[in-house]
Amino acid sequence: MNKLNHLAIIMDGNGRWAKNRGFLRTKGHEKGALVVEQMCEFCIDNDIKILSLYAFSTENWKRQKSEIEFLMTLLKKFLISKREIFIKNSINFQTIGELDPFSSELRAEILTTKEATKNNTKLKLNLAINYGARDEMVRAIKRLNEKGLSPNEQNLQSCLDEICDIDLLIRTGGEFRISNFMLWQASYAEFAFTPTLWPEFNKQELSQIVSEFGKKERRFGGI
Ligand code: FPP
């Protein structure tokens, strides 16, 4: 069985889930946020050490202002309401992506949550916000230059927001694309695509996907 150390998920389908039920798209995001806790529980129970979730991309700023504002408020509420659970369950909360464009209130909640959970060791939860893999690589190159490091794979990787390779990348919502998510880290990831819309994704389906992953033959370019 393959060891699953780093699980990453593109959480897609919130809008369609809501539309199918005659709700506003924002209702889908609200419901989607509730799934995150289940995913963290699954990772802890199955000794998965890193969970990276794509919550807001560098391209998502193209959405309507009202939807963006809703997502920012949802994220703030999420951090405030989950902080104690993160502490209790030994979850180390981290973000990937550039935080500068967010409001000072939201950044303060992010920093408080990071600080409060920094010594937790059971699970690292990476929330990708204002994240794009191309942006991450450009920022990594800037860091590399600032540090005066020579440009090789190891040094460039050390300057990324997340340095650990992904083992399994899941995308919900029925699309077969990667949407600028962790391109470097996904180089040798196994992929799983499911038509299930994110608000309906659950531990049972995750467990099935993880069990299929366990059986895959991973060669990493060897034979
Ligand atoms: C993609 O679905 C989802 C997003 C762009 C936002 C993801 C946000 C959440 C899962 C909830 C917030 C999470 C936290 C941790 C607070 P979509 O809107 O593109 O759906 P569609 O493809 O059906 O339109």
Side-chain angles (χ1 to χ4, degrees):
M1 292 289 271
N2 296 310
K3 171 81 184 107
L4 176 43
N5 182 59
H6 185 180
L7 170 66
I9 310 181
I10 300 175
M11 308 181 288
D12 193 19
N14 293 347
R16 278 164 287 160
W17 179 89
K19 194 169 167 231
N20 293 344
R21 284 162 182 75
F23 300 143
L24 292 173
R25 293 177 53 79
T26 48
K27 187 81 189 156
H29 296 316
E30 210 170 67
K31 186 84 167 50
L34 300 176
V35 182
V36 171
E37 198 175 330
Q38 281 191 57
M39 299 298 112
C40 292
E41 284 169 8
F42 180 92
C43 289
I44 290 170
D45 292 346
N46 291 277
D47 200 29
I48 297 166
K49 289 294 177 194
I50 308 173
L51 173 64
S52 296
L53 299 176
Y54 207 6
F56 193 84
S57 74
T58 43
E59 289 74 32
N60 285 153
W61 296 105
K62 293 179 202 156
R63 294 189 178 204
Q64 279 196 348
K65 199 164 168 254
S66 57
E67 184 172 341
I68 295 171
E69 277 171 6
F70 184 91
L71 281 166
M72 298 305 145
T73 306
L74 184 64
L75 180 55
K76 203 161 79 181
K77 285 186 190 159
F78 173 84
L79 293 174
I80 295 167
S81 68
K82 300 295 178 214
R83 203 172 287 141
E84 285 310 311
I85 293 171
F86 291 165
I87 294 168
K88 188 166 144 257
N89 294 343
S90 190
I91 296 171
N92 169 16
F93 175 80
Q94 291 296 332
T95 57
I96 56 173
E98 175 59 68
L99 298 181
D100 285 354
F102 296 121
S103 70
S104 53
E105 290 89 351
L106 180 52
R107 273 184 286 140
E109 294 303 340
I110 292 168
L111 293 183
T112 305
T113 311
K114 284 185 178 176
E115 185 59 27
T117 64
K118 68 178 182 198
N119 295 322
N120 293 349
T121 54
K122 279 218 168 118
L123 174 69
K124 175 157 107 167
L125 171 62
N126 266 336
L127 205 61
I129 45 177
N130 185 34
Y131 175 85
R134 290 178 175 181
D135 178 62
E136 180 189 29
M137 285 186 208
V138 171
R139 287 186 289 103
I141 291 165
K142 284 185 191 154
R143 273 185 218 142
L144 191 85
N145 288 334
E146 278 160 17
K147 290 181 179 176
L149 294 170
S150 55
N152 58 44
E153 285 192 17
Q154 198 184 357
N155 286 344
L156 186 55
Q157 183 153 343
S158 75
C159 294
L160 293 171
D161 295 354
E162 170 57 60
I163 61 166
C164 202
D165 280 349
I166 294 170
D167 296 301
L168 173 63
L169 174 56
I170 300 173
R171 183 179 185 130
T172 64
E175 310 283 4
F176 298 89
R177 54 178 174 248
I178 194 164
S179 303
N180 199 14
F181 186 53
M182 300 187 91
L183 300 178
W184 179 290
Q185 298 86 343
S187 294
Y188 272 99
E190 300 295 327
F191 286 75
F193 297 94
T194 168
T196 304
L197 303 174
W198 176 251
E200 289 182 327
F201 194 67
N202 57 30
K203 281 186 192 179
Q204 287 71 34
E205 188 171 359
L206 176 57
S207 175
Q208 278 168 13
I209 294 173
V210 166
S211 137
E212 284 305 311
F213 163 83
K215 294 183 246 166
K216 293 244 172 87
E217 192 194 343
R218 303 187 76 196
R219 292 192 295 276
F220 299 96
I223 46 171

